[in-house]
């Protein structure tokens, strides 16, 4: 029987859902400052004493930066147990990645004086298990989940406690709590606010005042007691005498200020002798009281806690690619600088990481993003996500430029006939060296390595200036007849070891004969291939000494685009509830093939495929089957504006019988069906850098750098599938996704380019770390 209820008062951080992101961030600073004032003003140390939980720590950082004089009183309130600072910067999505997580741990370490001991992750339906060792290393000994199960699920019935076994075998206790605002409904029969969710500036709505909520009069207490007993009756299987309920203010529920009269209600309730007794509490206070009641036989769940909401982050595909590439530059910077005898601004690097990581915060839509996708609040939230991605991209580029320009090896392009190339990653790799064509003031035709190796420079024409029908391998921006066709960039391909720096010299002459197009069916030292040009389908793909990789039984084209759309009134609502009729009516189409053309390439076999589909102005894919054994697929899409809910996949059906699949979850190799938490989402995963398929002898790695969201086995997003064994070896990378009823609903016009590299390696060899070469004009 429950004899004590701890009410955890906090505000839910949902940057952009209720207001513009900048407004929401300001509101959180104001809420924390108000909470500090309320706690200081309440000198009674009883169950009703005002207590506050900082759900996440980024608002704490922001407030203390703006008002450093509050640091001392906040620290005192933390020591006294009146305020608790939790251990995550914001509510996390699985996009954070290993490098981003390391930066978050640095920030967490600076908050040690505020004693973060609980990692609270609210709203989202999962959490990557790669964060667990770092949390324990920082002294965080509990995970607190207050999930919103809208279109999601919990691995075990809640409320309850289980132990979460991480990748290192250690077990962290988890409070598997009720939704983060549920306390209100345990004591109130009716909602206080009527109508839509108001913005903070809407003067027709106001924050609740005393008497609006948690009224403490005799009649109100009696009504609350009856409601509580009805709700507690539904928790008959809950085994502990203490229960925690979270409360957020009912002005909007998210991004709201404290509600001071809650203290009066708790005191009045306890003074009336009613049971259970109430305590205005904090997460650590509740968990400390709960721990003596936990037996040794708590359930143990092991694996990655897959997030049923993870597909929603793909509603900003262009921004996602920008942010992922910025992170790779930021991760490489500390290794690249000493290789170049250079330095970097550590503070600027930290600021860039903070911007890039804030993109991973779980808000991917405003309250009315679907109902009113073009209203100011929806646009503000979408623009906010775009701004974070573009700012991270620009900050990373500027930091890289500063490192290069401060290197003693750097020389302006106008005064050099050489360039330096570095591999700022921990593994050896093949890669492109890109040179802006207009920066070369003389016609370089080849590059000569210091070891005497000569490599041809390949010229790519057009791109931003490509007129309709212009020849050459451009990057397929929309046709524009204003600009002439010009060389846009030159590039060559080479291999560098981990941390290697190599110098190349330009040559004006090239002895190589022009490359000739490969046949549509042929072979090289590294690959054997066969195209069905009419269907635009690669039928046969065999790495050197291996067997065909492609599953030809399934209808999906290997590497091909698959467009899935939901039609009809209420389609998004049907998808959210997994309505069988809505799911049965999903339309899956493969774009019609227009052409498959073999192109000359000095590096192997190259094919350019064009397709058409009503949802796109242009679809182009370029396949490079390199002689060095890698395969690179570049997909370029020009979508048309639509509000139809849709998902775009790139399908990779594989003929690898018995193969196991894995992905990287915050840097941890995670096997599908084996290293995933049972009862969690079994359809969508987010990979830190790659996905892999392994049979007895070999491993196929598929880069997920640009496309981290995907589905194993088949295109079954929103099917409600739970974790299980892999039925068929296949990877469906999710390029774009607008099903979510609270995510961005509009597919915008524009240009999306993603690259995926495929590598086949022996099972005993390590995978190649994500990253790219840096190059610059050198002395």
């Amino acid at each position: 029987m429950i004899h004590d209820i701890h009410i955890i008062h906090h505000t839910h951080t949902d940057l952009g859902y209720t207001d513009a992101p900048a407004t929401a961030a300001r509101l959180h600073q104001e809420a924390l400052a108000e909470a500090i004032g309320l706690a200081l003003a309440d000198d009674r140390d009883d169950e009703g004493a005002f207590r506050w939980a900082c759900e996440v720590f980024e608002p704490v950082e922001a407030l203390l930066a703006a008002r450093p004089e509050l640091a001392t009183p906040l620290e005192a309130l933390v020591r006294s147990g009146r305020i608790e600072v939790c251990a995550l910067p914001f509510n996390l999505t699985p996009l954070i990645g290993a490098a981003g997580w390391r930066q978050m741990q640095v920030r967490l370490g600076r908050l040690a004086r505020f004693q973060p001991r609980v990692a609270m992750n609210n709203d989202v339906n999962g959490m990557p298990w790669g964060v667990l060792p770092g949390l324990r290393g920082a002294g965080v000994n509990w995970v607190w989940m207050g999930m919103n199960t809208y279109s999601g699920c919990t691995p075990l019935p809640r409320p309850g406690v289980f132990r979460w076994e991480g990748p290192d075998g250690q077990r962290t206790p988890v409070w598997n709590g009720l939704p983060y605002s549920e306390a209100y409904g345990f004591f109130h029969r009716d909602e206080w606010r009527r109508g839509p969710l108001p913005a903070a500036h809407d003067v027709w709505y106001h924050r609740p005042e005393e008497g609006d909520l948690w009224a403490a009069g005799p009649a109100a207490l009696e009504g609350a007691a009856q409601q509580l007993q009805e709700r507690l009756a539904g928790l008959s299987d809950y085994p502990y005498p203490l229960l925690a309920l979270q409360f957020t203010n009912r002005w909007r529920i998210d991004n709201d200020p404290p509600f001071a009269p809650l203290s009066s209600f708790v005191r009045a309730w306890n003074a009336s002798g009613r049971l259970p007794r109430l305590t205005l509490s904090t997460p650590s206070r509740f968990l400390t009281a709960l721990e003596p009641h936990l037996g040794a036989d708590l359930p143990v769940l092991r694996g990655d806690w897959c997030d049923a909401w993870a597909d929603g982050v793909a509603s900003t595909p262009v921004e996602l690619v920008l942010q992922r590439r910025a992170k790779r530059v930021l991760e490489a910077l500390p290794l690249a600088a000493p290789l170049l005898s250079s330095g970097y601004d550590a503070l600027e690097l930290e600021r860039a990481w903070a911007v890039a990581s804030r993109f991973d915060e779980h808000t991917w839509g405003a309250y009315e993003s679907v109902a009113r996708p073009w209203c100011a609040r929806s646009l503000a939230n979408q623009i906010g996500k775009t701004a974070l991605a573009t700012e991270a991209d620009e900050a990373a580029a500027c930091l890289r430029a500063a490192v290069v320009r401060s290197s003693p090896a750097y020389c302006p392009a106008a005064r050099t006939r050489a360039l330096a190339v570095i591999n700022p990653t921990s593994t050896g790799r093949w890669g492109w060296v890109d040179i802006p064509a207009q920066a070369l003031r003389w016609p370089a035709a080849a590059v000569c390595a210091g070891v005497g190796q000569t490599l041809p420079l390949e010229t790519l024409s057009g791109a931003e200036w490509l007129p309709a029908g212009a020849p050459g391998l451009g990057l397929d921006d929309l046709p524009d007849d204003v600009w002439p066709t010009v060389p846009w960039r030159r590039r060559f391909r080479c291999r560098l070891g981990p941390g290697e720096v190599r110098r190349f010299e330009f040559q004006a002459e090239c002895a190589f004969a022009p490359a000739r197009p490969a046949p549509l069916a042929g072979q090289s030292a590294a690959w054997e291939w066969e195209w069905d040009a009419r269907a635009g389908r690669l039928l046969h793909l065999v790495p050197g000494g291996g067997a065909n990789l492609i599953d030809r039984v399934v209808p999906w084209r290997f590497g091909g685009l698959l467009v899935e759309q939901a039609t009809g009134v209420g389609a998004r609502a049907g998808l959210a509830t997994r309505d069988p009729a809505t799911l049965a009516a999903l339309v899956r189409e493969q774009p019609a093939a227009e052409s498959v053309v073999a192109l000359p390439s000095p590096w192997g076999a190259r094919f350019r495929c064009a397709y058409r589909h009503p949802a796109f102005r242009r679809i182009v894919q370029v396949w490079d089957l390199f002689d060095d054994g890698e395969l690179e697929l570049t997909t370029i899409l020009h979508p048309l504006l639509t509000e139809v809910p849709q998902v775009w996949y790139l399908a990779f059906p594989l003929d690898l019988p018995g193969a196991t699949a894995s992905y990287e979850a915050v840097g941890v190799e995670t096997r599908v069906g084996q290293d995933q938490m049972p009862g969690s989402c079994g359809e969508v995963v987010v990979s830190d850098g790659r996905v892999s398929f392994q049979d007895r002898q070999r491993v196929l790695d598929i880069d997920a750098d640009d496309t981290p969201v995907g589905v194993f086995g088949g295109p079954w997003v929103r099917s409600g599938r739970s974790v299980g064994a892999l039925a068929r070896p296949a990877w469906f990378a999710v390029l774009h996704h607008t099903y979510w009823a609270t995510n961005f609903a509009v597919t915008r016009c524009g240009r999306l380019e993603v690259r995926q590299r495929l590598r086949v390696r022996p099972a005993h060899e390590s995978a190649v770390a994500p990253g790219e070469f840096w190059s610059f004009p050198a002395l």
Side-chain angles (χ1 to χ4, degrees), residues 606-627:
R606 176 176 293 155
F607 306 96
R608 186 180 190 273
C609 308
Y611 303 91
R612 65 179 183 276
H613 186 276
F616 299 88
R617 182 171 180 179
R618 177 176 294 175
I619 303 169
V620 173
Q621 290 188 305
V622 177
W623 294 77
D624 275 296
L625 280 62
F626 297 122
D627 291 338

PDB file of all heavy atoms in Angstrom, residues 606-627:
ATOM      1  N   ARG A 606      32.060   4.189 -62.794  1.00  0.00           N
ATOM      2  CA  ARG A 606      31.114   5.209 -62.324  1.00  0.00           C
ATOM      3  C   ARG A 606      29.860   5.164 -63.183  1.00  0.00           C
ATOM      4  O   ARG A 606      29.919   5.082 -64.407  1.00  0.00           O
ATOM      5  CB  ARG A 606      31.742   6.597 -62.383  1.00  0.00           C
ATOM      6  CG  ARG A 606      30.776   7.731 -62.005  1.00  0.00           C
ATOM      7  CD  ARG A 606      31.507   9.061 -61.983  1.00  0.00           C
ATOM      8  NE  ARG A 606      32.478   9.105 -60.907  1.00  0.00           N
ATOM      9  CZ  ARG A 606      33.563   9.888 -60.908  1.00  0.00           C
ATOM     10  NH1 ARG A 606      33.814  10.664 -61.950  1.00  0.00           N
ATOM     11  NH2 ARG A 606      34.393   9.871 -59.898  1.00  0.00           N
ATOM     12  N   PHE A 607      28.699   5.241 -62.500  1.00  0.00           N
ATOM     13  CA  PHE A 607      27.416   5.204 -63.189  1.00  0.00           C
ATOM     14  C   PHE A 607      26.523   6.295 -62.621  1.00  0.00           C
ATOM     15  O   PHE A 607      26.476   6.522 -61.411  1.00  0.00           O
ATOM     16  CB  PHE A 607      26.750   3.836 -63.015  1.00  0.00           C
ATOM     17  CG  PHE A 607      27.627   2.692 -63.434  1.00  0.00           C
ATOM     18  CD1 PHE A 607      28.390   1.994 -62.508  1.00  0.00           C
ATOM     19  CD2 PHE A 607      27.713   2.329 -64.768  1.00  0.00           C
ATOM     20  CE1 PHE A 607      29.216   0.959 -62.888  1.00  0.00           C
ATOM     21  CE2 PHE A 607      28.536   1.286 -65.171  1.00  0.00           C
ATOM     22  CZ  PHE A 607      29.284   0.596 -64.233  1.00  0.00           C
ATOM     23  N   ARG A 608      25.827   6.959 -63.549  1.00  0.00           N
ATOM     24  CA  ARG A 608      24.912   8.041 -63.162  1.00  0.00           C
ATOM     25  C   ARG A 608      23.498   7.622 -63.536  1.00  0.00           C
ATOM     26  O   ARG A 608      23.200   7.342 -64.691  1.00  0.00           O
ATOM     27  CB  ARG A 608      25.283   9.335 -63.881  1.00  0.00           C
ATOM     28  CG  ARG A 608      24.501  10.566 -63.456  1.00  0.00           C
ATOM     29  CD  ARG A 608      24.997  11.769 -64.259  1.00  0.00           C
ATOM     30  NE  ARG A 608      24.476  13.015 -63.757  1.00  0.00           N
ATOM     31  CZ  ARG A 608      23.309  13.548 -64.122  1.00  0.00           C
ATOM     32  NH1 ARG A 608      22.533  12.912 -64.991  1.00  0.00           N
ATOM     33  NH2 ARG A 608      22.923  14.703 -63.632  1.00  0.00           N
ATOM     34  N   CYS A 609      22.620   7.590 -62.519  1.00  0.00           N
ATOM     35  CA  CYS A 609      21.246   7.120 -62.698  1.00  0.00           C
ATOM     36  C   CYS A 609      20.283   8.275 -62.456  1.00  0.00           C
ATOM     37  O   CYS A 609      20.419   8.997 -61.453  1.00  0.00           O
ATOM     38  CB  CYS A 609      20.922   5.986 -61.731  1.00  0.00           C
ATOM     39  SG  CYS A 609      22.126   4.642 -61.756  1.00  0.00           S
ATOM     40  N   ALA A 610      19.333   8.439 -63.339  1.00  0.00           N
ATOM     41  CA  ALA A 610      18.302   9.460 -63.179  1.00  0.00           C
ATOM     42  C   ALA A 610      16.944   8.778 -63.068  1.00  0.00           C
ATOM     43  O   ALA A 610      16.668   7.795 -63.769  1.00  0.00           O
ATOM     44  CB  ALA A 610      18.315  10.418 -64.360  1.00  0.00           C
ATOM     45  N   TYR A 611      16.105   9.322 -62.204  1.00  0.00           N
ATOM     46  CA  TYR A 611      14.778   8.751 -61.957  1.00  0.00           C
ATOM     47  C   TYR A 611      13.768   9.884 -61.912  1.00  0.00           C
ATOM     48  O   TYR A 611      14.119  11.063 -61.779  1.00  0.00           O
ATOM     49  CB  TYR A 611      14.750   7.985 -60.629  1.00  0.00           C
ATOM     50  CG  TYR A 611      15.773   6.883 -60.513  1.00  0.00           C
ATOM     51  CD1 TYR A 611      17.031   7.136 -59.966  1.00  0.00           C
ATOM     52  CD2 TYR A 611      15.481   5.597 -60.951  1.00  0.00           C
ATOM     53  CE1 TYR A 611      17.977   6.134 -59.852  1.00  0.00           C
ATOM     54  CE2 TYR A 611      16.422   4.577 -60.831  1.00  0.00           C
ATOM     55  CZ  TYR A 611      17.662   4.851 -60.289  1.00  0.00           C
ATOM     56  OH  TYR A 611      18.592   3.856 -60.193  1.00  0.00           O
ATOM     57  N   ARG A 612      12.491   9.519 -61.976  1.00  0.00           N
ATOM     58  CA  ARG A 612      11.433  10.526 -61.851  1.00  0.00           C
ATOM     59  C   ARG A 612      10.343   9.996 -60.920  1.00  0.00           C
ATOM     60  O   ARG A 612      10.052   8.796 -60.876  1.00  0.00           O
ATOM     61  CB  ARG A 612      10.846  10.872 -63.216  1.00  0.00           C
ATOM     62  CG  ARG A 612      10.125   9.732 -63.912  1.00  0.00           C
ATOM     63  CD  ARG A 612       9.547  10.178 -65.259  1.00  0.00           C
ATOM     64  NE  ARG A 612       8.799   9.104 -65.907  1.00  0.00           N
ATOM     65  CZ  ARG A 612       9.348   8.157 -66.652  1.00  0.00           C
ATOM     66  NH1 ARG A 612      10.657   8.140 -66.860  1.00  0.00           N
ATOM     67  NH2 ARG A 612       8.591   7.210 -67.192  1.00  0.00           N
ATOM     68  N   HIS A 613       9.771  10.943 -60.187  1.00  0.00           N
ATOM     69  CA  HIS A 613       8.666  10.646 -59.274  1.00  0.00           C
ATOM     70  C   HIS A 613       7.905  11.950 -59.053  1.00  0.00           C
ATOM     71  O   HIS A 613       8.515  13.032 -59.007  1.00  0.00           O
ATOM     72  CB  HIS A 613       9.191  10.098 -57.934  1.00  0.00           C
ATOM     73  CG  HIS A 613       8.109   9.648 -56.997  1.00  0.00           C
ATOM     74  ND1 HIS A 613       7.441  10.518 -56.163  1.00  0.00           N
ATOM     75  CD2 HIS A 613       7.574   8.416 -56.785  1.00  0.00           C
ATOM     76  CE1 HIS A 613       6.538   9.842 -55.469  1.00  0.00           C
ATOM     77  NE2 HIS A 613       6.603   8.570 -55.820  1.00  0.00           N
ATOM     78  N   PRO A 614       6.573  11.897 -58.917  1.00  0.00           N
ATOM     79  CA  PRO A 614       5.798  13.142 -58.788  1.00  0.00           C
ATOM     80  C   PRO A 614       6.183  14.008 -57.601  1.00  0.00           C
ATOM     81  O   PRO A 614       5.887  15.205 -57.600  1.00  0.00           O
ATOM     82  CB  PRO A 614       4.354  12.637 -58.658  1.00  0.00           C
ATOM     83  CG  PRO A 614       4.354  11.280 -59.264  1.00  0.00           C
ATOM     84  CD  PRO A 614       5.711  10.707 -59.008  1.00  0.00           C
ATOM     85  N   ALA A 615       6.815  13.433 -56.594  1.00  0.00           N
ATOM     86  CA  ALA A 615       7.167  14.213 -55.409  1.00  0.00           C
ATOM     87  C   ALA A 615       8.471  14.982 -55.575  1.00  0.00           C
ATOM     88  O   ALA A 615       8.841  15.749 -54.680  1.00  0.00           O
ATOM     89  CB  ALA A 615       7.264  13.298 -54.192  1.00  0.00           C
ATOM     90  N   PHE A 616       9.162  14.802 -56.717  1.00  0.00           N
ATOM     91  CA  PHE A 616      10.483  15.397 -56.880  1.00  0.00           C
ATOM     92  C   PHE A 616      10.597  16.077 -58.241  1.00  0.00           C
ATOM     93  O   PHE A 616      10.031  15.617 -59.234  1.00  0.00           O
ATOM     94  CB  PHE A 616      11.576  14.322 -56.779  1.00  0.00           C
ATOM     95  CG  PHE A 616      11.605  13.626 -55.458  1.00  0.00           C
ATOM     96  CD1 PHE A 616      10.813  12.505 -55.234  1.00  0.00           C
ATOM     97  CD2 PHE A 616      12.407  14.077 -54.430  1.00  0.00           C
ATOM     98  CE1 PHE A 616      10.830  11.850 -54.027  1.00  0.00           C
ATOM     99  CE2 PHE A 616      12.432  13.429 -53.211  1.00  0.00           C
ATOM    100  CZ  PHE A 616      11.638  12.312 -52.999  1.00  0.00           C
ATOM    101  N   ARG A 617      11.368  17.124 -58.243  1.00  0.00           N
ATOM    102  CA  ARG A 617      11.709  17.749 -59.518  1.00  0.00           C
ATOM    103  C   ARG A 617      12.852  16.997 -60.194  1.00  0.00           C
ATOM    104  O   ARG A 617      12.926  16.928 -61.410  1.00  0.00           O
ATOM    105  CB  ARG A 617      12.109  19.211 -59.293  1.00  0.00           C
ATOM    106  CG  ARG A 617      12.425  19.949 -60.581  1.00  0.00           C
ATOM    107  CD  ARG A 617      12.590  21.424 -60.334  1.00  0.00           C
ATOM    108  NE  ARG A 617      12.890  22.135 -61.576  1.00  0.00           N
ATOM    109  CZ  ARG A 617      13.064  23.442 -61.652  1.00  0.00           C
ATOM    110  NH1 ARG A 617      12.965  24.178 -60.551  1.00  0.00           N
ATOM    111  NH2 ARG A 617      13.337  24.002 -62.811  1.00  0.00           N
ATOM    112  N   ARG A 618      13.730  16.449 -59.400  1.00  0.00           N
ATOM    113  CA  ARG A 618      14.856  15.716 -59.967  1.00  0.00           C
ATOM    114  C   ARG A 618      15.365  14.708 -58.948  1.00  0.00           C
ATOM    115  O   ARG A 618      15.419  14.980 -57.746  1.00  0.00           O
ATOM    116  CB  ARG A 618      15.984  16.666 -60.357  1.00  0.00           C
ATOM    117  CG  ARG A 618      17.226  15.961 -60.888  1.00  0.00           C
ATOM    118  CD  ARG A 618      18.266  16.942 -61.351  1.00  0.00           C
ATOM    119  NE  ARG A 618      17.786  17.685 -62.521  1.00  0.00           N
ATOM    120  CZ  ARG A 618      18.457  18.682 -63.070  1.00  0.00           C
ATOM    121  NH1 ARG A 618      19.597  19.073 -62.552  1.00  0.00           N
ATOM    122  NH2 ARG A 618      17.980  19.309 -64.122  1.00  0.00           N
ATOM    123  N   ILE A 619      15.754  13.526 -59.441  1.00  0.00           N
ATOM    124  CA  ILE A 619      16.368  12.484 -58.627  1.00  0.00           C
ATOM    125  C   ILE A 619      17.582  11.972 -59.396  1.00  0.00           C
ATOM    126  O   ILE A 619      17.454  11.498 -60.528  1.00  0.00           O
ATOM    127  CB  ILE A 619      15.415  11.305 -58.355  1.00  0.00           C
ATOM    128  CG1 ILE A 619      14.120  11.779 -57.678  1.00  0.00           C
ATOM    129  CG2 ILE A 619      16.096  10.233 -57.515  1.00  0.00           C
ATOM    130  CD1 ILE A 619      13.035  10.724 -57.632  1.00  0.00           C
ATOM    131  N   VAL A 620      18.754  12.076 -58.793  1.00  0.00           N
ATOM    132  CA  VAL A 620      19.977  11.615 -59.432  1.00  0.00           C
ATOM    133  C   VAL A 620      20.788  10.826 -58.412  1.00  0.00           C
ATOM    134  O   VAL A 620      20.885  11.219 -57.238  1.00  0.00           O
ATOM    135  CB  VAL A 620      20.822  12.793 -59.963  1.00  0.00           C
ATOM    136  CG1 VAL A 620      22.178  12.308 -60.473  1.00  0.00           C
ATOM    137  CG2 VAL A 620      20.082  13.531 -61.064  1.00  0.00           C
ATOM    138  N   GLN A 621      21.355   9.709 -58.870  1.00  0.00           N
ATOM    139  CA  GLN A 621      22.285   8.947 -58.043  1.00  0.00           C
ATOM    140  C   GLN A 621      23.553   8.677 -58.849  1.00  0.00           C
ATOM    141  O   GLN A 621      23.488   8.364 -60.037  1.00  0.00           O
ATOM    142  CB  GLN A 621      21.668   7.620 -57.593  1.00  0.00           C
ATOM    143  CG  GLN A 621      20.541   7.790 -56.586  1.00  0.00           C
ATOM    144  CD  GLN A 621      20.087   6.458 -56.017  1.00  0.00           C
ATOM    145  OE1 GLN A 621      19.725   5.547 -56.753  1.00  0.00           O
ATOM    146  NE2 GLN A 621      20.093   6.343 -54.693  1.00  0.00           N
ATOM    147  N   VAL A 622      24.675   8.826 -58.190  1.00  0.00           N
ATOM    148  CA  VAL A 622      25.972   8.525 -58.794  1.00  0.00           C
ATOM    149  C   VAL A 622      26.627   7.408 -57.985  1.00  0.00           C
ATOM    150  O   VAL A 622      26.794   7.530 -56.767  1.00  0.00           O
ATOM    151  CB  VAL A 622      26.875   9.766 -58.833  1.00  0.00           C
ATOM    152  CG1 VAL A 622      28.250   9.408 -59.404  1.00  0.00           C
ATOM    153  CG2 VAL A 622      26.228  10.876 -59.648  1.00  0.00           C
ATOM    154  N   TRP A 623      26.984   6.334 -58.686  1.00  0.00           N
ATOM    155  CA  TRP A 623      27.648   5.184 -58.077  1.00  0.00           C
ATOM    156  C   TRP A 623      29.118   5.193 -58.486  1.00  0.00           C
ATOM    157  O   TRP A 623      29.448   5.257 -59.665  1.00  0.00           O
ATOM    158  CB  TRP A 623      27.020   3.881 -58.569  1.00  0.00           C
ATOM    159  CG  TRP A 623      25.606   3.656 -58.138  1.00  0.00           C
ATOM    160  CD1 TRP A 623      24.487   4.227 -58.647  1.00  0.00           C
ATOM    161  CD2 TRP A 623      25.172   2.760 -57.109  1.00  0.00           C
ATOM    162  NE1 TRP A 623      23.363   3.758 -58.008  1.00  0.00           N
ATOM    163  CE2 TRP A 623      23.768   2.842 -57.057  1.00  0.00           C
ATOM    164  CE3 TRP A 623      25.833   1.897 -56.242  1.00  0.00           C
ATOM    165  CZ2 TRP A 623      23.005   2.101 -56.171  1.00  0.00           C
ATOM    166  CZ3 TRP A 623      25.073   1.147 -55.360  1.00  0.00           C
ATOM    167  CH2 TRP A 623      23.685   1.253 -55.311  1.00  0.00           C
ATOM    168  N   ASP A 624      29.992   5.106 -57.512  1.00  0.00           N
ATOM    169  CA  ASP A 624      31.425   4.958 -57.764  1.00  0.00           C
ATOM    170  C   ASP A 624      31.881   3.623 -57.177  1.00  0.00           C
ATOM    171  O   ASP A 624      31.844   3.434 -55.950  1.00  0.00           O
ATOM    172  CB  ASP A 624      32.210   6.096 -57.111  1.00  0.00           C
ATOM    173  CG  ASP A 624      32.273   7.325 -57.979  1.00  0.00           C
ATOM    174  OD1 ASP A 624      32.870   7.238 -59.065  1.00  0.00           O
ATOM    175  OD2 ASP A 624      31.718   8.364 -57.578  1.00  0.00           O
ATOM    176  N   LEU A 625      32.293   2.696 -58.036  1.00  0.00           N
ATOM    177  CA  LEU A 625      32.856   1.421 -57.616  1.00  0.00           C
ATOM    178  C   LEU A 625      34.366   1.548 -57.740  1.00  0.00           C
ATOM    179  O   LEU A 625      34.942   1.352 -58.811  1.00  0.00           O
ATOM    180  CB  LEU A 625      32.328   0.272 -58.488  1.00  0.00           C
ATOM    181  CG  LEU A 625      30.933  -0.275 -58.171  1.00  0.00           C
ATOM    182  CD1 LEU A 625      29.845   0.773 -58.331  1.00  0.00           C
ATOM    183  CD2 LEU A 625      30.633  -1.481 -59.044  1.00  0.00           C
ATOM    184  N   PHE A 626      35.006   1.933 -56.663  1.00  0.00           N
ATOM    185  CA  PHE A 626      36.412   2.285 -56.705  1.00  0.00           C
ATOM    186  C   PHE A 626      37.289   1.041 -56.824  1.00  0.00           C
ATOM    187  O   PHE A 626      36.988  -0.019 -56.253  1.00  0.00           O
ATOM    188  CB  PHE A 626      36.812   3.069 -55.447  1.00  0.00           C
ATOM    189  CG  PHE A 626      36.107   4.385 -55.301  1.00  0.00           C
ATOM    190  CD1 PHE A 626      35.337   4.672 -54.185  1.00  0.00           C
ATOM    191  CD2 PHE A 626      36.218   5.358 -56.286  1.00  0.00           C
ATOM    192  CE1 PHE A 626      34.695   5.889 -54.039  1.00  0.00           C
ATOM    193  CE2 PHE A 626      35.581   6.586 -56.155  1.00  0.00           C
ATOM    194  CZ  PHE A 626      34.809   6.843 -55.035  1.00  0.00           C
ATOM    195  N   ASP A 627      38.408   1.210 -57.521  1.00  0.00           N
ATOM    196  CA  ASP A 627      39.371   0.124 -57.647  1.00  0.00           C
ATOM    197  C   ASP A 627      40.010  -0.235 -56.315  1.00  0.00           C
ATOM    198  O   ASP A 627      40.609  -1.312 -56.183  1.00  0.00           O
ATOM    199  CB  ASP A 627      40.472   0.508 -58.649  1.00  0.00           C
ATOM    200  CG  ASP A 627      39.946   0.588 -60.074  1.00  0.00           C
ATOM    201  OD1 ASP A 627      38.893  -0.029 -60.352  1.00  0.00           O
ATOM    202  OD2 ASP A 627      40.578   1.273 -60.904  1.00  0.00           O
TER     203      ASP A 627
END
